[in-house]
Amino acid sequence: MIYPPFGRTVTEADNQTFTLMTQNVARIHLDTHFAERTEFGRTLVNSAFTLALVTGQSTIDLST
């Protein structure tokens, strides 16, 4: 298996900024108190942000 040469740590600020920029109103991404009471127990990373990261990480593999 070949791994991409660059890694990326997703921070809470990354998730909050992306969620606010895309006007995603799902409380699970922003509201810590709400998220703690869900089955996940914490806020979740916006799935569109995850998709954007995967796309960006795969660019180097698809470009060569």
Side-chain angles (χ1 to χ4, degrees), residues 13-24 46 48-50 52:
D14 292 330
N15 185 45
Q16 288 178 355
T17 301
F18 187 88
T19 298
L20 293 172
M21 285 180 8
T22 57
Q23 298 183 2
N24 184 329
N46 187 317
F49 183 61
T50 304

Side-chain angles (χ1 to χ4, degrees), residues 6-34:
F6 305 107
R8 178 71 163 84
T9 299
V10 177
T11 67
E12 185 175 343
D14 292 330
N15 185 45
Q16 288 178 355
T17 301
F18 187 88
T19 298
L20 293 172
M21 285 180 8
T22 57
Q23 298 183 2
N24 184 329
V25 296
R27 293 173 64 190
I28 193 74
H29 300 304
L30 295 172
D31 188 339
T32 304
H33 298 293
F34 171 80

Side-chain angles (χ1 to χ4, degrees), residues 20-60:
L20 293 172
M21 285 180 8
T22 57
Q23 298 183 2
N24 184 329
V25 296
R27 293 173 64 190
I28 193 74
H29 300 304
L30 295 172
D31 188 339
T32 304
H33 298 293
F34 171 80
E36 287 174 349
R37 295 189 311 268
T38 67
E39 63 185 285
F40 306 107
R42 62 184 188 162
T43 56
L44 300 180
V45 175
N46 187 317
S47 57
F49 183 61
T50 304
L51 178 61
L53 286 176
V54 169
T55 302
Q57 289 285 317
S58 66
T59 302
I60 194 164

